[in-house]
Amino acid sequence: MKTFRVQARVAACVGAIVLLLQISQAQAQTYSYAFQFGGLGRGDGQLYGTFGVATASSGNIIVTDYYNSRVQIFDSQGTFLLKFGSDGSGDGQLWVPAGVALDASDKIYVADSGNHRVQVFDSQGTFLFKFGSYGSGDGQLYVPAGVALDATGNIYVADSGNNRVQAFDSQGTFLLEFGSYGRGDGQFDGPFGVAVGATGNIFVADSGNNRIQVFAPGP
């Protein structure tokens, strides 16, 4: 399995990560306000402490509704479609879900931070499997905040409380970890967000150190 080394750092003050990983060289894109959806509350389509957002191949928008301990799915215009999850520690239940990511088949991966695990659901919110448990050993998690997938289906988790990133295969089997507490290259202080670039670089929002660290595949 690949190991990783620090390739670059970019100063930033971040609590979560949003990275544009591919930029057209032909023409700079500009953006203008389009619309919004949600609003404070506990009803369908309402949100309380949103944390993560991702999009499906259909254009549907998946949102982790942090303090409501659920995930909500909206269509591309922000119309409520469905919700799943409730307070608890059982399969399919959530406690302050944080990051969310989708794979190529639109399975939904949720960093179930309060339960110290990652849960995986199908596109309709049906529970499929989970991995991780409270602790600091290989494959264990302590307040996982961010989750991302690479092109092969490997899963990367920002293990915030353990100040590291862990990699798992597509079935949730532990592969490797990198990082430790500190301010040096390759060290973290509460990593929150993680993303994978087209070339396999791993981008980590090193929140407590106010920077982004980039890790490249290598020996």
Side-chain angles (χ1 to χ4, degrees):
M1 184 60 194
K2 299 175 181 176
T3 58
F4 293 86
R5 59 183 172 80
V6 176
Q7 184 176 6
R9 298 186 300 178
V10 182
C13 181
V14 294
I17 188 170
V18 178
L19 288 176
L20 182 62
L21 300 175
Q22 294 181 332
I23 302 174
S24 171
Q25 296 181 352
Q27 180 178 0
Q29 178 68 56
T30 61
Y31 293 88
S32 59
Y33 174 82
F35 65 93
Q36 61 180 286
F37 59 94
L40 178 63
R42 298 187 181 276
D44 291 350
Q46 293 182 309
L47 302 164
Y48 183 21
T50 51
F51 196 110
V53 61
T55 55
S57 59
S58 63
N60 288 346
I61 305 162
I62 294 85
V63 179
T64 50
D65 192 2
Y66 189 79
Y67 290 117
N68 284 326
S69 291
R70 64 186 180 184
V71 174
Q72 296 198 68
I73 300 180
F74 303 84
D75 71 14
S76 61
Q77 299 304 305
T79 301
F80 171 80
L81 296 176
L82 63 92
K83 63 186 176 185
F84 59 91
S86 60
D87 269 319
S89 58
D91 291 348
Q93 293 185 308
L94 300 164
W95 185 17
V96 288
V100 62
L102 276 70
D103 67 12
S105 61
D106 284 341
K107 290 196 294 290
I108 301 168
Y109 298 72
V110 180
D112 186 8
S113 64
N115 286 318
H116 313 289
R117 64 188 180 184
V118 173
Q119 294 199 72
V120 184
F121 303 84
D122 70 14
S123 61
Q124 297 302 302
T126 301
F127 172 82
L128 298 175
F129 66 93
K130 64 187 176 185
F131 59 92
S133 61
Y134 175 75
S136 58
D138 291 350
Q140 293 185 309
L141 300 165
Y142 180 27
V143 192
V147 60
L149 289 93
D150 67 17
T152 67
N154 290 332
I155 307 157
Y156 298 84
V157 180
D159 189 7
S160 181
N162 285 321
N163 296 297
R164 64 186 179 183
V165 172
Q166 295 196 70
F168 301 83
D169 70 13
S170 60
Q171 300 304 306
T173 302
F174 171 80
L175 297 175
L176 62 86
E177 66 178 65
F178 57 93
S180 61
Y181 176 74
R183 298 188 179 280
D185 291 349
Q187 294 184 309
F188 299 118
D189 183 3
F192 273 15
V194 61
V196 183
T199 61
N201 285 351
I202 310 297
F203 299 78
V204 181
D206 186 11
S207 179
N209 286 323
N210 305 301
R211 63 187 179 183
I212 305 297
Q213 295 199 66
V214 185
F215 299 81

